[in-house]
Amino acid sequence: MITGKNYIGNQLSSEGNRTYKTYNPKLNLENEHTFYEASDQEIEKAVLLAAEAFKTYKKTSGAKKAEFITAIADEILALGDLLIQTYISETGLPEGRAKGERGRTVGQLRTFAELVSEGSWVEATIDTADPDRAPIPKQDIRKMLVPLGPIVVFGASNFPLAYSTAGGDTAAAFAAGCPVIVKSHPMHAATGELVASAIHNAAQKTGMPNGIFSNLNSSGIEVGVQLVKHPKVKAVGFTGSIRAGRALFDLASQRPEPIPVFAEMGSINPVVLLPEATKTRGEVLAKTYANSITLGTGQFCTNPGLILGIKGETLDHFINILSDEIVGIEPSCMLHPNIIGNYENNKTHVLQQNGLSITAEYDGDLLINHARQTITKVEGKTFLENPKLHQEVFGPFSMIVQCKDAKELEDIISNLEGQLTGTILAEKEEAVLYDSVIEALQNRVGRIIYNGVPTGVEVCPAMLHGGPYPASTDSRFTAVGIHSIKRWVRPFSYQSWPNHLLPDELKNENPLGISRLVDGNPSQRKI
Amino acid sequence: MITGKNYIGNQLSSEGNRTYKTYNPKLNLENEHTFYEASDQEIEKAVLLAAEAFKTYKKTSGAKKAEFITAIADEILALGDLLIQTYISETGLPEGRAKGERGRTVGQLRTFAELVSEGSWVEATIDTADPDRAPIPKQDIRKMLVPLGPIVVFGASNFPLAYSTAGGDTAAAFAAGCPVIVKSHPMHAATGELVASAIHNAAQKTGMPNGIFSNLNSSGIEVGVQLVKHPKVKAVGFTGSIRAGRALFDLASQRPEPIPVFAEMGSINPVVLLPEATKTRGEVLAKTYANSITLGTGQFCTNPGLILGIKGETLDHFINILSDEIVGIEPSCMLHPNIIGNYENNKTHVLQQNGLSITAEYDGDLLINHARQTITKVEGKTFLENPKLHQEVFGPFSMIVQCKDAKELEDIISNLEGQLTGTILAEKEEAVLYDSVIEALQNRVGRIIYNGVPTGVEVCPAMLHGGPYPASTDSRFTAVGIHSIKRWVRPFSYQSWPNHLLPDELKNENPLGISRLVDGNPSQRKI
């Protein structure tokens, strides 16, 4: 049931005066439910409950945490078609996508449950004592990762399930041992509340402390600002625009006690089309990229917004085929009138720049809130000299840059801001000829792809989703995969600590049977 | 030979107009050499050289990096007695300490050389492809840690060797694959130049690119500010005061591209004296702590500046013995007239607070620049209510807080700022009775010690030297031990990348024979 209320710990609450509704972009109508924005008091209460819950939850065993996280996955599935239909009504996305994203969300939760159930993720490191060492005896020192404290998660507009309420940030934080306060995304508040109810049920069924989770409704920036400034909040996860992510980062950095913000923000995901590949496979690549650019109406942070090639006939041919292909694709609905409004504004802004021309734009009739996919092109020199052309146009849009030679290509890449991904499209052995181009691209991105598309972010241990600023606020962490847990933990050392008072992970007898680094060597043995 | 010049890459350079000299605190005289502060142009040149060197150095093999780092250790030892005597003349510290710190510095370098020579530190993670997976084939994705780029290191006043020019930050950065620019500490510029010459020689002998290292003289804040703001600088390491560390953190956070700053800053290192331990071993503990408080004239970031006990006769007894012991210790010289000036000022400031009284202060004659060790005491309530009493007095000073009960003890700990260390002094089984006190302490520190002293930071994998702010600017990293390399690296993913173009660490055949996570399982096997 959707109530429009906030979860303040395990209580539904609606003390605030501001209300709002979500929007069905396909029907171009407001949805029925009214949401109550969290009041200052409700925010305060949620944080205090989280800080209190942390005292218990940080000591909760991996097995118990796994039970809780698994129960969340089960409860999400138990929401059944109501969740799917609500998701669709708040996003305009098709049912297949809704179900796929639910699968991804549930999969992520189960992966983190396995991780903490197994237990070696804490990176237990043990250096045993040497009382005979001269001139000073060596003390016994043992280290493991421990949770930071209450985490605030800002859900993403474009992933209402996988990067929102019980998405990657939340799953990683629960696995780490941190309570979570979600600032619900206003565009999918009902989807958020349903998922929040699943987390609430899971917490109740598995005996988790009150305050381990809260879900706060919010239509503006105030709730988020108050949360990030709160002294008891210890870290922030965010997925969204550079403007908003940077604002949160600045707020967090200016606190008396600065806290880490991991913001996964904008990216234009440069794709480098090498000449031989353009010549040999231009048509296939053009078709593949027409699909990648329009996938999910271009509403992916890994959408290929920039295609770099060497000017000439083969690149012209690629541009022509891409243009023909893309206008043949049926336009699709964007998430919200504001999103399509931004898309049109950003496109207008970029098209006002000198030297940029449209090579293809869908010109048929459009259903309401459906986006007109657009391909543009520009000369390398013009692109290099105008940083306004480097900005993301979130939606089914891409810009082809015609470089005069490999040197200009390398210069352009070296002058790009940080990116989530970079892609090299090359024929066999061709990449070797462009090693300095590839080097330059590696320096600017978090993930580099060979002969593929950047869209589609596999959830696996080897995935790095992040990258140099402004792709993320800290390139040293990933937002996807098991290693994303490292955002929410810190190493902690025990010196000469009595064995029976140590956490199980560090006890001599290794009761959890985890892998540890003992006196410099990986080992699962007892000490 | 000491020239007073800067190393701008492999060139000695003295273009600046400002000069300064270092000081011998024992003789209360300026040392002979004149140092030339780096000019704006020299700073710019050092950074551009570092950025250029990074292109080569980031691809340098672990074996070659190990050769370079080992050569630094050898070259430092080859400086022989000149280094030791220079160190002594610039610090007032005794020869044993100078040699001990040189041993630690050389040991740290050799440890990092071993780490990169072995190679598994890159956390290679491989998820192989599954072309038959439905509905979407699984791509091959491989991840490893790669260096961030040029790092700026600010040396510490109190560790001219182990945490300065070729200290922990520099060793970790070179191991990671990052060029280093050292902002030399003005109090030991000659020691710094000697070590810089060792790094320079090592780089020449092992064929490292020009710009892999620069050493910039500086007597004020300008050189550091210009370095931290430079767009080609990618991270900062700092050891020193909260004021300076926070200023650098703020500068770095406000850049158009924010960069990570790992600052290891102040700490008062609370020590909790439980009643049974006080009763049973009060005398021994008092003697031990008299030594720990005055060790190195109290000039350690882990100096025990705060001792918390439960008010009563046994605590009084401890205070009396500690007081008797500490005034019997021969005072020693501080690093610089400015350091002793700050010590006296901070002590005066804290003694102006209501309710604080002196229980012991050395009252004999003092040699020049020698510090008067001081023990103070205060009631728990007074301490809790006045944050000015929580500030570090860097030097041989400690404050004993008399708590009325365990509850007040816990409240005080919970309200402390973040600390490097916390110590519990307890009798057998006593700790169990104070579990909430210990919990509170764990929340506020990076390392917790049982029945020991916080001074003495073992260099080993299990050491966490850092902690919640303001002990450090990011509790998720350590400044000591092999894992400190993680400050200077980021994970990077290759997707569907051709095997022959992958770095050795990620190639199918595992030519380096390192440990990797392959499809979720630790393994050294080929794929």
Coordinates of all heavy atoms in Angstrom, one line a residue, chain A residues 204-238:
Chain A
Q204 N 12.0 -5.8 10.1 CA 11.1 -6.4 11.2 C 11.3 -7.9 11.3 O 11.4 -8.4 12.4 CB 9.6 -6.0 10.9 CG 9.3 -4.6 10.9 CD 9.3 -3.9 12.3 OE1 10.3 -3.2 12.6 NE2 8.3 -4.1 13.1
K205 N 11.2 -8.5 10.2 CA 11.3 -10.0 10.2 C 12.6 -10.6 10.7 O 12.7 -11.7 11.2 CB 11.0 -10.5 8.8 CG 9.5 -10.4 8.4 CD 9.2 -11.0 7.0 CE 7.7 -10.9 6.7 NZ 7.4 -11.3 5.3
T206 N 13.7 -9.8 10.5 CA 15.0 -10.3 10.8 C 15.5 -9.7 12.1 O 16.7 -9.8 12.5 CB 16.0 -10.2 9.7 OG1 16.1 -8.8 9.3 CG2 15.6 -11.0 8.5
G207 N 14.6 -8.9 12.8 CA 15.0 -8.4 14.1 C 16.1 -7.3 14.1 O 16.9 -7.2 15.0
M208 N 16.0 -6.5 13.1 CA 17.0 -5.4 13.0 C 16.6 -4.2 13.9 O 15.4 -4.0 14.1 CB 17.2 -4.9 11.5 CG 17.9 -5.9 10.6 SD 19.6 -6.3 11.2 CE 19.6 -8.0 11.1
P209 N 17.5 -3.4 14.4 CA 17.2 -2.3 15.3 C 16.4 -1.2 14.6 O 16.6 -0.9 13.4 CB 18.6 -1.8 15.7 CG 19.5 -2.2 14.6 CD 19.0 -3.5 14.1
N210 N 15.5 -0.6 15.3 CA 14.7 0.5 14.8 C 15.7 1.6 14.4 O 16.6 2.0 15.2 CB 13.7 1.0 15.8 CG 12.8 2.1 15.3 OD1 12.7 2.3 14.1 ND2 12.3 2.9 16.2
G211 N 15.5 2.2 13.2 CA 16.4 3.3 12.8 C 17.5 2.8 11.8 O 18.2 3.6 11.2
I212 N 17.6 1.5 11.6 CA 18.5 1.0 10.6 C 18.2 1.6 9.2 O 19.1 1.7 8.3 CB 18.5 -0.6 10.5 CG1 19.7 -1.0 9.7 CG2 17.2 -1.1 10.0 CD1 20.0 -2.5 9.8
F213 N 16.9 1.9 9.0 CA 16.5 2.5 7.7 C 15.5 3.5 7.9 O 14.5 3.3 8.7 CB 16.0 1.4 6.8 CG 15.5 1.8 5.5 CD1 16.3 2.3 4.5 CD2 14.1 1.9 5.3 CE1 15.8 2.8 3.3 CE2 13.6 2.4 4.1 CZ 14.4 2.8 3.1
S214 N 15.6 4.6 7.2 CA 14.5 5.6 7.1 C 14.4 6.0 5.6 O 15.4 6.0 4.9 CB 14.8 6.8 7.9 OG 14.6 6.5 9.3
N215 N 13.2 6.4 5.2 CA 12.9 6.9 3.8 C 12.2 8.2 3.9 O 11.1 8.3 4.4 CB 12.0 5.9 3.1 CG 11.8 6.2 1.7 OD1 12.8 6.5 0.9 ND2 10.6 6.3 1.2
L216 N 12.9 9.3 3.5 CA 12.4 10.6 3.6 C 12.0 11.2 2.3 O 12.8 11.3 1.3 CB 13.5 11.5 4.2 CG 14.1 11.1 5.5 CD1 15.1 12.1 6.1 CD2 13.0 10.8 6.6
N217 N 10.7 11.6 2.2 CA 10.2 12.2 1.0 C 10.7 13.7 0.9 O 10.9 14.3 1.9 CB 8.7 12.3 1.0 CG 8.1 10.9 0.9 OD1 8.6 10.1 0.2 ND2 7.0 10.7 1.7
S218 N 10.9 14.1 -0.3 CA 11.5 15.4 -0.5 C 11.3 15.9 -2.0 O 11.5 15.1 -2.9 CB 13.0 15.4 -0.2 OG 13.7 16.2 -1.0
S219 N 10.8 17.1 -2.1 CA 10.6 17.6 -3.5 C 11.6 18.7 -3.9 O 11.7 19.0 -5.0 CB 9.1 18.2 -3.6 OG 9.0 19.3 -2.8
G220 N 12.3 19.2 -2.9 CA 13.3 20.2 -3.2 C 14.6 19.9 -2.7 O 15.0 18.7 -2.6
I221 N 15.5 20.9 -2.3 CA 16.8 20.5 -1.9 C 17.0 20.5 -0.3 O 18.0 20.1 0.2 CB 17.9 21.5 -2.5 CG1 17.7 22.9 -2.0 CG2 17.9 21.4 -4.0 CD1 18.9 23.8 -2.2
E222 N 16.0 21.1 0.4 CA 16.1 21.3 1.8 C 16.4 20.0 2.6 O 17.3 20.0 3.5 CB 14.9 22.0 2.4 CG 14.7 23.4 1.8 CD 13.9 23.4 0.5 OE1 13.6 22.3 0.0 OE2 13.7 24.5 -0.1
V223 N 15.6 19.0 2.3 CA 15.8 17.7 3.1 C 17.2 17.2 2.9 O 17.9 16.9 3.9 CB 14.8 16.7 2.7 CG1 15.1 15.3 3.3 CG2 13.4 17.1 3.0
G224 N 17.7 17.2 1.7 CA 19.1 16.7 1.4 C 20.1 17.6 2.1 O 21.1 17.0 2.7
V225 N 20.0 18.9 2.1 CA 20.9 19.8 2.7 C 21.0 19.5 4.2 O 22.1 19.4 4.8 CB 20.6 21.2 2.4 CG1 21.4 22.2 3.3 CG2 20.8 21.6 1.0
Q226 N 19.8 19.4 4.8 CA 19.8 19.2 6.3 C 20.5 17.8 6.6 O 21.2 17.7 7.6 CB 18.4 19.2 6.8 CG 18.3 19.3 8.3 CD 16.8 19.5 8.8 OE1 16.0 20.1 8.0 NE2 16.5 19.1 10.0
L227 N 20.2 16.8 5.8 CA 20.8 15.5 6.1 C 22.4 15.6 6.0 O 23.1 15.1 6.8 CB 20.3 14.5 5.1 CG 18.9 13.9 5.4 CD1 18.4 13.1 4.2 CD2 18.8 13.1 6.6
V228 N 22.9 16.2 4.9 CA 24.3 16.2 4.7 C 25.0 17.0 5.7 O 26.2 16.7 6.1 CB 24.6 16.7 3.2 CG1 26.1 16.9 3.0 CG2 24.1 15.7 2.2
K229 N 24.4 18.0 6.3 CA 25.0 18.8 7.3 C 24.9 18.2 8.7 O 25.6 18.7 9.6 CB 24.3 20.2 7.4 CG 24.7 21.1 6.2 CD 23.8 22.4 6.3 CE 24.6 23.6 6.0 NZ 23.8 24.8 6.1
H230 N 24.1 17.2 8.9 CA 23.9 16.7 10.2 C 25.2 16.0 10.8 O 25.7 15.1 10.1 CB 22.7 15.7 10.2 CG 22.2 15.4 11.6 ND1 22.9 14.8 12.6 CD2 21.0 15.8 12.1 CE1 22.1 14.8 13.7 NE2 21.0 15.4 13.4
P231 N 25.6 16.4 12.0 CA 26.9 15.8 12.5 C 26.9 14.3 12.7 O 27.9 13.7 12.7 CB 27.0 16.5 13.9 CG 26.0 17.6 14.0 CD 25.0 17.4 12.9
K232 N 25.7 13.7 12.8 CA 25.7 12.3 13.0 C 25.7 11.5 11.7 O 25.8 10.2 11.7 CB 24.5 11.9 13.9 CG 24.7 12.3 15.4 CD 23.7 11.7 16.3 CE 23.8 12.3 17.7 NZ 25.0 11.9 18.4
V233 N 25.6 12.2 10.6 CA 25.7 11.5 9.3 C 27.2 11.4 8.9 O 27.9 12.4 9.1 CB 24.9 12.3 8.2 CG1 25.3 11.8 6.8 CG2 23.4 12.2 8.5
K234 N 27.6 10.2 8.5 CA 29.1 10.0 8.3 C 29.5 9.8 6.9 O 30.8 9.8 6.6 CB 29.5 8.8 9.2 CG 29.3 9.0 10.7 CD 30.1 10.2 11.2 CE 29.9 10.5 12.7 NZ 30.3 11.8 13.1
A235 N 28.6 9.7 5.9 CA 29.0 9.6 4.5 C 27.8 9.7 3.7 O 26.6 9.5 4.1 CB 29.8 8.3 4.2
V236 N 28.0 10.0 2.4 CA 26.9 10.3 1.5 C 27.1 9.6 0.1 O 28.2 9.6 -0.4 CB 26.8 11.8 1.2 CG1 25.6 12.1 0.2 CG2 26.5 12.6 2.5
G237 N 26.1 8.9 -0.4 CA 26.1 8.4 -1.7 C 25.1 9.1 -2.6 O 24.0 9.4 -2.1
F238 N 25.5 9.4 -3.8 CA 24.6 10.2 -4.7 C 24.8 9.7 -6.1 O 25.9 9.4 -6.5 CB 25.0 11.7 -4.5 CG 24.4 12.6 -5.6 CD1 23.2 13.2 -5.3 CD2 25.1 12.9 -6.7 CE1 22.6 14.0 -6.3 CE2 24.5 13.7 -7.7 CZ 23.3 14.3 -7.5

